[in-house]
Amino acid sequence: MPNELKRRPHRTSVSSEALPRERKSIDILSSKRIASLSPASGYMSALMESTADVIWSVDLDLRLLAFNRAAKQTFSASFGTIPVGGMRPEHLFPYGLAANWSSLYNFALSQGPLRTEYSFAAGRILELVLNPIVMNKKVTGVSVFGRDITERRTTERALLETKRKYREIIDGAKEGMFEITLDGQPLFVNLALARMLGYATPEELRTAMQDSAECLWADAITRDTFMSMLNEHGSVHRFECQFQRKDASVLWVSLSCRRRFAADGKTLIHEGFLEDITELKQAEAAAGNSEAHFQTLFQTSLDAISISRLSDGRIFDANEAFLDLTGFSREEVIGGSSTDLGIWANPHEPQKILDELCENSSCRELEVKVRKRNGRISSALVSVSMIVVEGNPHLLSVFRDVSEIKQATAMIRSLAFHDPLTQPPNRRLLMERLLGARAATGKNRALLFLDLDHFKFTNDSIGHAAGDLMLKEIGRRLAESSRGAGTVARIGGDEFILLLENLDGRPEYAAGQANSLAENIVKKSSGSFQLPGNESPVSFSVGIAVFGDELKSPETAIRQAEIAMLKAKEQGRGTIRFFSPELQTAVNARARMEQDLRQAIKANQLTLYYQPQVQNGLLIGAEALVRWNHPQHGFLPPGEFIPLAEETGLIVSLGDWVLQSACTQIAAWERDKGVRDIPVAVNISSKELREPDFVGRVLACIESTGVNPASLKLELTESSVAGDIEEVIVKMTALKAHGVQFSLEDFGTGYSSLAGLKRLPLDQLKIDRSFVQGILDDAASSATAQAILFMGNNMNLSVIAEGVEAPEHRDTLTTLGCQSFQGYLFSPPLPAEEFESMWMDRV
């Protein structure tokens, strides 16, 4: 194995097409083997099976010894009955994938632990750690631990992309910055680096580096030493060396560099920065030659300097600037420690400095908060290095007060990016945020263009000074009413813009969200404006443009929103209009549908259908599904109005109606048919579950209808238990104590993990219809269904498959061990009367 493997991550790609499909999975750690293991081994097995990290091991012949379920699910493996002793890695992984890893196994066996990265199907990335297995002082195999770091790598690439967009800002930095390929070809250098090295522009420096990658180094030995350290560790911090300028003169630099992937996630590059420390080196040399000269520099420095013993932190000496910075007298400082004096506003900062010293042997310009003797806190940059005084190690700490600089910077930024009259962000900051942010995957954004109606007439009648006061008040109202919703900016005169982020991925739904926010903001920001002896009404005309990542430029979105605003003014002012006629139609229809739904809940236009849940042909339960008998559109399925109810908050009152109706029907069946062991499932939304009085409402419904609590099963989704799981557990436990049952549907499609699942007081898991539909030709769906069945059995939970529409679905699920089903293969959802006549005698 070449040494290069230790330095560079081993990467390959494997298509999920290559994974075997028509095999049944087995568990390497069978129940008999687990029973024979020691308690410690049992704990280890449980740990392997509950962790999200992938784990497997091979023997000296590279035969597969064991693996956990995370490994099997990660690589979508499924296989038939194979003798344990005869399993090869290709039984878990496709043959090509297993063969690619043989070199990694051999390296770990011969040279010890190895850490690398591995790219596999669908762009996922694993960070692998291979360790030799040693038993009785002999190497018997290799264990492998893998962790999915895809999201971390994605975040790194996103940050790099953002960095590229702000190179103009980076060029204003005083440090020289660079990105180069592994063979020394420059990808990026900033203006500071070019000027530091005597070049007029970054382009001129890049050209010089392209001609000779080693042109910057003052000598080859230093270059080779640095590259050796970089290749071994992947990064080097504060490496002090000499570089050569264009005119052949030499300067001292502090060089920090690390190896990382470029924005494409594939190309390895070096990136880092240089700081010119020539003056510091000259000062150090002068100080080394003359103690008197050192004392002069020490005492006359404008920076605050202290020298303290490393052993106990006691201050040995301090200059006048340090006394001015801290407010203490020399008598109070000498012999005391910075901790005793209480100069650290953040008590963790001294340890942070020590950690930096231990790692890099020096600490440069770390921003800290310094507390003065009078309690006032200042911002400072501290640099700390190790020196020897009278034969003992000491710390030389240099503090530079940057409080005024930070205040000035904040003021400059505020003036540059905020409207001086109304204070909201100005057009420049809005354009920056439009350029710097992209809609999240599958999400939309919207611009709201708000124009004050009749402001010119109002301004002329009340005077410009009063008009300015009105604009200030309008800006305050808009900022307050839109807090948390988006960015408000004043782009000139009486025109304001609100940027909304992360709206629904469907344009018509995103338009509905934007319209609701616009109505709320306009309502809160409108109203009369009071002036002495005068009262002026305030109203807005609003234009909305909805867009996703297809936006070509910020100007395009602003222009579209402005056109829509002009339409609003043409149609009577004080109205809201969309740039897209289609979206305007959809928003109008949505508004009508929302009003109809409110009326439907009050006018008893809703009804419940019941879909049977069966086992061996017998009825074991049912799910209550709401239908809307719309006066114009007829019967509407839940998909037509449940999302609207979720967005508008009507889902809470709708859920109350469904729960009350279902409990009334269950009680009737219990009373008239004597059926008491057939639970009926009612879907509960996340908004219902988060209501503070959710438990009380459910119990009140049970009491008013007289239903047996054990006959009520509440179905939760993965998203409904996400977030504050502790609150969910408390509410579920309270209802569980009264006999109410719980089912988790859509399990495996989003949030749930084994650790979270084990804490929920559940009775049932549902195999989602998406897995059922793909179970015949998708190995991942089959493996997921089998995993849910395995977890349910091991946790004493019943498992039911929904969306079973074909005999082949039922037969495949039966083979995997599933016994309970729900779907059109058995029956569609039925009105209560038909359900009763067709299924109540099949209990």
Side-chain angles (χ1 to χ4, degrees), residues 663-720:
C663 286
T664 301
Q665 183 62 67
I666 298 170
W669 283 334
E670 290 178 341
R671 181 179 61 253
D672 300 337
K673 300 293 183 179
V675 178
R676 297 183 62 83
D677 297 324
I678 307 299
V680 175
V682 176
N683 291 283
I684 301 298
S685 73
S686 60
K687 289 187 178 180
E688 292 178 85
L689 188 60
R690 301 298 177 188
E691 287 291 305
D693 60 342
F694 172 73
V695 173
R697 295 211 312 272
V698 174
L699 294 178
C701 182
I702 292 173
E703 183 177 358
S704 65
T705 58
V707 70
N708 177 17
S711 297
L712 177 63
K713 181 183 293 181
L714 302 183
E715 279 200 6
L716 310 177
T717 62
E718 286 193 281
S719 60
S720 66

Side-chain angles (χ1 to χ4, degrees), residues 578-616:
F578 281 81
F579 173 76
S580 167
E582 295 80 9
L583 288 183
Q584 187 67 57
T585 301
V587 168
N588 293 341
R590 179 183 181 277
R592 288 193 297 271
M593 184 68 79
E594 179 183 347
Q595 185 60 37
D596 289 348
L597 183 56
R598 292 182 187 275
Q599 182 62 26
I601 297 173
K602 298 177 181 178
N604 203 29
Q605 296 175 4
L606 303 173
T607 186
L608 289 184
Y609 277 40
Y610 298 86
Q611 187 171 36
Q613 299 172 339
V614 300
Q615 181 175 323
N616 297 324

Side-chain angles (χ1 to χ4, degrees), residues 546-598:
V546 178
F547 54 93
D549 279 337
E550 79 283 354
L551 179 66
K552 295 181 179 180
S553 68
E555 291 82 0
T556 300
I558 294 175
R559 185 166 59 252
Q560 291 176 351
E562 185 176 15
I563 291 173
M565 181 274 295
L566 293 175
K567 289 182 182 178
K569 282 192 176 295
E570 291 173 1
Q571 297 177 16
R573 303 178 186 268
T575 59
I576 300 172
R577 290 294 179 266
F578 281 81
F579 173 76
S580 167
E582 295 80 9
L583 288 183
Q584 187 67 57
T585 301
V587 168
N588 293 341
R590 179 183 181 277
R592 288 193 297 271
M593 184 68 79
E594 179 183 347
Q595 185 60 37
D596 289 348
L597 183 56
R598 292 182 187 275

Side-chain angles (χ1 to χ4, degrees), residues 477-605:
R477 291 182 186 180
L478 286 173
E480 182 176 335
S481 60
S482 63
R483 185 172 291 115
T487 299
V488 177
R490 181 185 179 220
I491 60 172
D494 58 343
E495 297 171 338
F496 296 83
I497 280 186
L498 174 60
L499 170 63
L500 303 177
E501 303 273 3
N502 294 323
L503 302 178
D504 195 283
R506 296 161 293 184
E508 62 276 13
Y509 283 86
Q513 292 173 318
N515 189 72
S516 296
L517 286 168
E519 289 178 342
N520 183 55
I521 291 171
V522 168
K523 180 180 179 181
K524 291 181 178 179
S525 302
S526 300
S528 298
F529 178 76
Q530 299 291 337
L531 284 174
N534 198 341
E535 180 177 330
S536 298
V538 174
S539 66
F540 295 90
S541 295
V542 183
I544 304 177
V546 178
F547 54 93
D549 279 337
E550 79 283 354
L551 179 66
K552 295 181 179 180
S553 68
E555 291 82 0
T556 300
I558 294 175
R559 185 166 59 252
Q560 291 176 351
E562 185 176 15
I563 291 173
M565 181 274 295
L566 293 175
K567 289 182 182 178
K569 282 192 176 295
E570 291 173 1
Q571 297 177 16
R573 303 178 186 268
T575 59
I576 300 172
R577 290 294 179 266
F578 281 81
F579 173 76
S580 167
E582 295 80 9
L583 288 183
Q584 187 67 57
T585 301
V587 168
N588 293 341
R590 179 183 181 277
R592 288 193 297 271
M593 184 68 79
E594 179 183 347
Q595 185 60 37
D596 289 348
L597 183 56
R598 292 182 187 275
Q599 182 62 26
I601 297 173
K602 298 177 181 178
N604 203 29
Q605 296 175 4

Side-chain angles (χ1 to χ4, degrees), residues 332-353:
E332 292 173 312
V333 167
I334 303 304
S337 69
S338 58
T339 303
D340 294 338
L341 296 173
I343 70 170
W344 302 105
N346 183 346
H348 301 293
E349 284 176 342
Q351 187 60 48
K352 188 176 181 180
I353 293 173

Side-chain angles (χ1 to χ4, degrees), residues 616-759:
N616 297 324
L618 300 178
L619 181 69
I620 61 170
E623 181 177 359
L625 300 167
V626 65
R627 299 290 187 268
W628 180 7
N629 187 10
H630 194 281
Q632 286 79 41
H633 305 300
F635 273 92
L636 299 178
E640 295 287 332
F641 59 91
I642 293 298
L644 177 63
E646 290 275 6
E647 291 179 18
T648 59
L650 288 173
I651 193 66
V652 176
S653 55
L654 177 61
D656 286 343
W657 183 92
V658 171
L659 183 63
Q660 185 73 30
S661 300
C663 286
T664 301
Q665 183 62 67
I666 298 170
W669 283 334
E670 290 178 341
R671 181 179 61 253
D672 300 337
K673 300 293 183 179
V675 178
R676 297 183 62 83
D677 297 324
I678 307 299
V680 175
V682 176
N683 291 283
I684 301 298
S685 73
S686 60
K687 289 187 178 180
E688 292 178 85
L689 188 60
R690 301 298 177 188
E691 287 291 305
D693 60 342
F694 172 73
V695 173
R697 295 211 312 272
V698 174
L699 294 178
C701 182
I702 292 173
E703 183 177 358
S704 65
T705 58
V707 70
N708 177 17
S711 297
L712 177 63
K713 181 183 293 181
L714 302 183
E715 279 200 6
L716 310 177
T717 62
E718 286 193 281
S719 60
S720 66
V721 300
D724 189 355
I725 191 171
E726 301 299 334
E727 176 190 355
V728 173
I729 292 174
V730 169
K731 292 180 177 179
M732 290 177 66
T733 303
L735 290 173
K736 187 83 171 174
H738 288 80
V740 177
Q741 300 186 51
F742 287 93
S743 175
L744 185 66
E745 63 175 339
D746 304 337
F747 180 67
T749 63
Y751 161 80
S752 296
S753 64
L754 181 59
L757 181 67
K758 291 169 64 176
R759 300 182 59 205

